[in-house]
Amino acid sequence: MTSDSWLKIIQNARKTAVIEDGKRKVHFLMEDGKEMVEEYSTDTNVVVRRAWKQKNGFGTNIGWMVEVGDPELKQNNIEIYGIEESSNTVFNFLLQPIITRRITKASLEWRIRNLSYPESVYSITAEHDGTMTVRTSNKKYFKKIKIPDLERIGLKPEQERISFRHQYNTLIITYKKPPQLLDVEKKILAAVLQLKTDSKDVQCPTS
Amino acid sequence: MFDPFYCNYLNRNTQILKYHVSNYFLFQISTNVQEVREVTRIERIGAHSHIRGLGLNDSLEPRNVSQGMVGQLMARRAAGVILEMIKESKIAGRAILLAGQPGTGKTAIAMGMAQALGLDTPFTSMAGSEIYSLEMSKTEALTQAIRKSIGVRIKEETEIIEGEVVEIQVDRPATGIGVKVGKLTLKTTEMETIYDLGNKMIDCLMKEKVQAGDVITIDKATGKINRLGRSFTRARDYDATGSQTRFVQCPEGELQKRKEVVHTVTLHEVDVINSRTHGFLALFSGDTGEIKSEVRDQINAKVAEWREEGKAEIVPGVLFIDEVHMLDIECFSFLNRALENEMAPVVIMATNRGITRIRGTHYKSPHGIPIDLLDRAIIVPTSPYQEKELKEILKIRCEEEDCEMTDDALTVLTRIASETSLRYAIQLITTASLVSRRRKTTEVSIDDVKRVYSLFLDENRSTQFLKEYQDDFMFNEFYFSLTWLEYIILILFVNRRLGVHRSDHDDNAKNDGPKSPHACLAAVGSCQVVIEENPLKIIILRKSFKNNKSALVYRGPKQMKTLAASGETVE
């Protein structure tokens, strides 16, 4: 996929926009039936939340997958699935790590909360399979992080753009946006800003 | 406070479990090692267990003896071509008829095709008589069989957890009842995480006897636990390990992975799950009843939709109907129509009949199948085996049944097979091996075969025997002395005489017995009737039988119905 094809998908999508609570909420219905919602801050015009509608193999909705922004509160699935990461609050170190994503003007950011290990144990590498891999030298945490923003425009992560720091039990990874991504985002933002947002009660097309 | 019952119930393995007995008070209990009992897989040997495929090479040329198949080269080649057709799965709704004498390997060829197709292609095997059920109409049974033979391959992405168990800890309340709390620590080469366990998962883990050092996968959506083996790092934990213990490497990377899995379900299963009156439990009970055609239509539409969206793939399979001449004309006309459907499977039929009556009609047709269906079918003939081939088959069967046989015994057996039938000879293998085992030898000799040959009759000798001694057998006279017309007249007559209606037989009727025995004679004509009053007995003597050997005894109206079954002879 190249940056052009992603731009084209966005341009061809049926878009609906509304401004609510200081956020410009845009709903995209792609030509292949996928649905995406983006929320832009009206002040900074930066995406604060992006979510995709998830469907299972039989076409039934199974909720939204949050790509950027705070994840939705999960219900307690332990009785449904029978297994879940431990969230014992008595022992603080057992809290399961949670990844959230943010986008700033110049960079993509990941925050991995509840990681109590010291900064020296972490190493983050850009992999050839298009992911960023977080490793710990004490073998306690390992995560392959996909970067959908780069994947969509056909870029591979580059090691020199990755930086990270650790504070307040949180590992913050910053990836400096490459110029191609900045370019694409600018174009998408331009398209989004043109959308009419005056009507209060709009219905998003779903199919 | 501590109940030894827990000990037995939970802790079968040598593993230290922590018991949660009020206020986080922890006990440590190590328990006895459970005896390790090897469970060998028990396989039963069936008539076609020795068949593992069609025995063809890559260019579809049949090898003379291969994969349990012997001879029948033309038919096997034809089956190979059909197999290719099925594998390409482009053409739906073809009918293939395997026709040949009994014991020429029709079912064997069908089984070979099933084996060659593998597990991924649905293969349904049924006998023609299976469709006759009181609970289900014939067409419904056929429709279900057809839909059982069409698979839907569905791709799905599931989340699995794969890792080595570091620690498993289950806390249960002191009272023994109530919510159990469990924690499972899993690790890979890169990471380690503690998981909370739900009640169901705890039970599953206990049932699978998962313990520290095992490498397991858990399907998050279904909760299915799969033990891959033990970790190499724990290989030296125990001195003795069962032979089936597999050692595997600790998994790499993340604990939770997304994996694409492919399920193949049959259309019938989708039907059953979606038929509201039964629910999916009907799949296990087997009691599906009739499924409404609307449900089927909806499912067809849905499956077509999935197929267009690339979510599912249709796998037309094979429906094998053995003894197809047992189907009647309604089924045949239904099949004609069903074969034209684009979702139809390939239908393989087998029959051993020649020109015979089509069931349900008075018309005769080749193989007992209407001409219009025969026209739609490709007919593959099988021919009787040559003596050499018979010998090979018997040899294979001997191997399958773990029976060693001397060469001359095998030659004799082959001779028997060619004179009588292959099936009879195969029966003799088992019996002869049992006889030889009694003699405490490992090899079946010619004497053993001779012995069982004299012990058990084959069909020809049995017929011969019957022809010679048929007069001595039971019921023989009855059928030969009374025609059915005479029989009915007799029953009606006796009824009349006794003043009993056919509908109500009761014991009171016994009292007013028949008055004139000679009237019987008049009615039945050619028979001489003797009636005794106490107990009520009507003896009919055919005049044609001079020695009075055969007669029919009839006692009381109650036995009227069982007359045919309980006729007795009097000297």
Side-chain angles (χ1 to χ4, degrees):
Chain A
M1 211 187 241
T2 61
S3 57
D4 288 341
S5 60
W6 172 243
L7 260 179
K8 205 163 179 195
I9 289 172
I10 288 293
Q11 275 157 5
N12 290 342
R14 286 165 68 189
K15 297 177 274 286
T16 323
V18 70
I19 292 182
E20 237 176 50
D21 317 327
K23 284 178 219 154
R24 183 186 299 273
K25 300 183 176 178
V26 190
H27 173 269
F28 297 84
L29 176 67
M30 318 288 182
E31 279 174 325
D32 57 1
K34 285 182 182 159
E35 286 178 62
M36 180 182 83
V37 167
E38 282 186 339
E39 288 174 17
Y40 291 84
S41 160
T42 41
D43 304 329
T44 56
N45 281 337
V46 165
V47 178
V48 291
R49 187 177 152 88
R50 182 185 293 146
W52 291 83
K53 200 170 199 172
Q54 293 292 98
K55 286 181 178 178
N56 69 3
F58 300 104
T60 343
N61 286 333
I62 51 169
W64 291 83
M65 198 266 294
V66 179
E67 189 188 305
V68 179
D70 291 327
E72 287 179 346
L73 275 178
K74 271 198 205 146
Q75 81 228 54
N76 191 9
N77 283 335
I78 196 156
E79 281 314 312
I80 301 170
Y81 295 133
I83 189 162
E84 201 180 51
E85 281 101 342
S86 184
S87 53
N88 195 334
T89 44
V90 178
F91 308 102
N92 206 29
F93 62 91
L94 289 182
L95 273 175
Q96 65 177 89
I98 304 166
I99 300 183
T100 54
R101 267 202 62 192
R102 280 187 200 175
I103 291 182
T104 61
K105 271 232 149 68
S107 57
L108 308 170
E109 258 184 35
W110 288 262
R111 276 150 204 273
I112 309 180
R113 301 217 168 83
N114 302 326
L115 274 187
S116 49
Y117 318 110
E119 188 164 349
S120 57
V121 303
Y122 303 104
S123 68
I124 298 162
T125 50
E127 303 281 323
H128 289 294
D129 56 358
T131 61
M132 231 165 42
T133 305
V134 184
R135 284 191 176 81
T136 48
S137 58
N138 60 358
K139 303 291 184 201
K140 289 293 181 193
Y141 188 76
F142 176 90
K143 184 84 187 167
K144 278 178 178 281
I145 301 174
K146 283 190 176 173
I147 313 175
D149 300 66
L150 297 185
E151 241 171 66
R152 276 195 288 262
I153 57 171
L155 291 180
K156 290 257 153 82
E158 292 162 53
Q159 185 68 51
E160 54 269 27
R161 293 184 179 274
I162 299 172
S163 60
F164 66 93
R165 62 183 199 279
H166 185 265
Q167 57 182 17
Y168 312 124
N169 263 357
T170 305
L171 182 73
I172 301 165
I173 306 163
T174 316
Y175 188 88
K176 213 162 149 271
K177 284 183 189 172
Q180 294 101 310
L181 181 62
L182 286 169
D183 187 42
V184 169
E185 283 187 343
K186 213 167 97 188
K187 282 178 185 157
I188 293 176
L189 183 66
V192 164
L193 287 177
Q194 280 170 11
L195 293 172
K196 273 185 270 177
T197 53
D198 38 356
S199 60
K200 267 280 156 220
D201 192 28
V202 282
Q203 236 16 63
C204 304
T206 52
S207 58
Chain B
M1 189 139 164
F2 167 65
D3 184 354
F5 168 73
Y6 293 153
C7 192
N8 293 332
Y9 175 67
L10 211 203
N11 208 353
R12 295 272 162 77
N13 297 314
T14 53
Q15 168 188 328
I16 296 165
L17 281 185
K18 290 165 188 160
Y19 282 81
H20 193 169
V21 190
S22 71
N23 284 343
Y24 299 96
F25 188 64
L26 297 176
F27 270 92
Q28 286 199 327
I29 308 147
S30 59
T31 54
N32 52 326
V33 185
Q34 192 207 12
E35 57 170 325
V36 180
R37 196 162 56 96
E38 285 257 345
V39 183
T40 47
R41 206 156 52 100
I42 299 164
E43 256 185 30
R44 285 173 54 85
I45 302 167
H48 295 104
S49 305
H50 57 282
I51 287 157
R52 288 174 298 278
L54 278 174
L56 305 174
N57 60 18
D58 289 340
S59 56
L60 294 183
E61 291 296 332
R63 288 180 289 249
N64 203 17
V65 181
S66 172
Q67 295 187 316
M69 298 288 272
V70 179
Q72 229 52 279
L73 299 183
M74 294 301 285
R76 270 160 61 200
R77 211 200 134 125
V81 174
I82 292 161
L83 206 65
E84 282 305 301
M85 183 173 97
I86 297 165
K87 273 184 186 159
E88 273 180 25
S89 81
K90 273 190 187 141
I91 307 167
R94 284 299 160 92
I96 291 114
L97 178 68
L98 293 167
Q101 293 90 324
T104 50
K106 297 178 296 295
T107 315
I109 286 176
M111 291 298 147
M113 286 175 84
Q115 297 276 357
L117 278 172
L119 288 174
D120 232 17
T121 316
F123 186 95
T124 318
S125 180
M126 68 182 288
S129 320
E130 262 174 54
I131 57 158
Y132 300 102
S133 153
L134 287 176
E135 286 175 0
M136 219 185 269
S137 72
K138 286 176 274 188
T139 49
E140 172 71 18
L142 270 180
T143 313
Q144 287 197 2
I146 286 173
R147 290 178 79 88
K148 267 180 207 163
S149 330
I150 302 166
V152 186
R153 209 173 278 159
I154 298 165
K155 281 187 221 101
E156 212 179 12
E157 220 179 43
T158 55
E159 210 157 85
I160 62 156
I161 301 171
E162 183 179 13
E164 179 189 328
V165 179
V166 179
E167 191 188 9
I168 173 168
Q169 178 189 338
V170 176
D171 301 342
R172 62 182 66 224
T175 50
I177 37 168
V179 187
K180 282 170 276 187
V181 190
K183 281 204 189 344
L184 176 71
T185 314
L186 287 176
K187 72 163 186 186
T188 64
T189 49
E190 307 281 1
M191 66 183 291
E192 187 175 314
T193 305
I194 299 170
Y195 289 94
D196 277 335
L197 298 173
N199 244 337
K200 260 194 292 177
M201 189 60 74
I202 292 175
D203 290 341
C204 283
L205 288 167
M206 286 296 137
K207 212 161 67 190
E208 289 281 329
K209 302 206 180 91
V210 172
Q211 50 174 322
D214 285 343
V215 177
I216 59 170
T217 61
I218 300 170
D219 185 343
K220 234 185 150 182
T222 60
K224 220 179 117 207
I225 297 171
N226 190 9
R227 262 174 80 175
L228 300 178
R230 280 191 71 75
S231 171
F232 269 113
T233 50
R234 302 279 196 134
R236 309 186 64 172
D237 277 10
Y238 306 120
D239 293 336
T241 49
S243 63
Q244 71 268 71
T245 311
R246 265 190 308 159
F247 288 101
V248 292
Q249 292 291 354
C250 185
E252 292 175 349
E254 283 174 274
L255 271 165
Q256 290 202 31
K257 288 168 191 155
R258 293 189 75 82
K259 244 191 188 170
E260 192 170 71
V261 285
V262 180
H263 307 282
T264 310
V265 291
T266 67
L267 273 186
H268 175 68
E269 284 163 345
V270 184
D271 285 350
V272 171
I273 291 165
N274 285 289
S275 65
R276 235 171 291 119
T277 47
H278 303 289
F280 75 99
L281 286 175
L283 260 185
F284 303 107
S285 67
D287 173 32
T288 55
E290 297 219 352
I291 293 164
K292 289 199 190 86
S293 59
E294 296 96 74
V295 176
R296 291 217 166 98
D297 288 343
Q298 276 178 7
I299 285 160
N300 285 351
K302 199 80 199 168
V303 168
E305 198 179 292
W306 292 343
R307 197 164 73 167
E308 280 197 0
E309 288 168 5
K311 283 172 188 153
E313 222 178 297
I314 304 275
V315 197
V318 177
L319 171 61
F320 173 56
I321 310 178
D322 211 349
E323 313 283 339
V324 73
H325 50 264
M326 290 308 289
L327 298 183
D328 62 9
I329 186 79
E330 292 164 37
C331 301
F332 286 127
S333 50
F334 175 80
L335 271 182
N336 274 344
R337 166 89 181 73
L339 282 178
E340 279 162 14
N341 193 327
E342 59 169 11
M343 295 254 261
V346 172
V347 178
I348 300 178
M349 303 175 285
T351 179
N352 53 21
R353 301 293 157 101
I355 298 175
T356 183
R357 208 167 58 84
I358 304 167
R359 192 170 172 167
T361 65
H362 296 299
Y363 302 109
K364 284 195 167 181
S365 180
H367 311 296
I369 298 171
I371 305 283
D372 54 347
L373 183 58
L374 276 179
D375 202 27
R376 287 173 167 82
I378 318 170
I379 301 175
V380 178
T382 56
S383 50
Y385 288 109
Q386 303 297 309
E387 202 151 304
K388 227 172 90 190
E389 293 162 354
L390 288 175
K391 195 167 187 175
E392 282 300 333
I393 295 173
L394 289 171
K395 215 188 264 171
I396 291 170
R397 280 308 297 190
C398 282
E399 266 168 35
E400 186 71 23
E401 294 181 26
D402 268 343
C403 159
E404 273 177 47
M405 196 173 272
T406 55
D407 277 348
D408 48 350
L410 196 64
T411 318
V412 169
L413 209 57
T414 314
R415 190 84 205 137
I416 292 172
S418 60
E419 303 255 298
T420 62
S421 77
L422 180 58
R423 287 211 171 91
Y424 176 69
I426 289 173
Q427 313 267 36
L428 291 190
I429 295 177
T430 326
T431 45
S433 88
L434 283 173
V435 168
S436 76
R437 220 178 292 163
R438 281 273 146 252
R439 287 197 304 125
K440 303 233 165 28
T441 51
T442 50
E443 230 179 10
V444 176
S445 73
I446 199 159
D447 291 329
D448 298 320
V449 176
K450 272 184 187 159
R451 188 165 166 73
V452 288
Y453 182 73
S454 61
L455 274 178
F456 303 105
L457 293 183
D458 61 275
E459 175 254 332
N460 267 333
R461 276 186 293 159
S462 182
T463 320
Q464 190 68 32
F465 182 78
L466 284 178
K467 275 182 187 155
E468 276 170 35
Y469 296 100
Q470 74 179 2
D471 284 353
D472 293 344
F473 280 90
M474 267 177 77
F475 311 133
N476 195 29
E477 308 77 11
F478 173 67
Y479 292 112
F480 284 94
S481 59
L482 273 182
T483 65
W484 66 273
L485 187 67
E486 287 169 342
Y487 175 64
I488 286 178
I489 291 172
L490 175 72
I491 290 174
L492 287 176
F493 173 75
V494 172
N495 269 330
R496 274 277 281 287
R497 292 300 307 171
L498 298 176
V500 186
H501 294 289
R502 284 196 78 136
S503 52
D504 56 8
H505 310 290
D506 53 344
D507 291 331
N508 303 343
K510 230 183 227 174
N511 299 334
D512 38 78
K515 265 130 199 144
S516 159
H518 301 287
C520 296
L521 191 71
V524 182
S526 62
C527 290
Q528 187 193 341
V529 180
V530 179
I531 298 180
E532 286 173 17
E533 294 275 327
N534 195 20
L536 182 62
K537 226 181 219 184
I538 304 164
I539 304 168
I540 301 138
L541 300 169
R542 272 291 291 260
K543 279 175 184 166
S544 52
F545 278 81
K546 280 161 198 144
N547 57 358
N548 275 2
K549 198 175 146 194
S550 56
L552 178 77
V553 177
Y554 174 65
R555 289 197 195 99
K558 259 199 157 175
Q559 278 136 310
M560 179 110 46
K561 276 188 188 163
T562 55
L563 188 69
S566 66
E568 282 177 25
T569 56
V570 287
E571 294 293 335

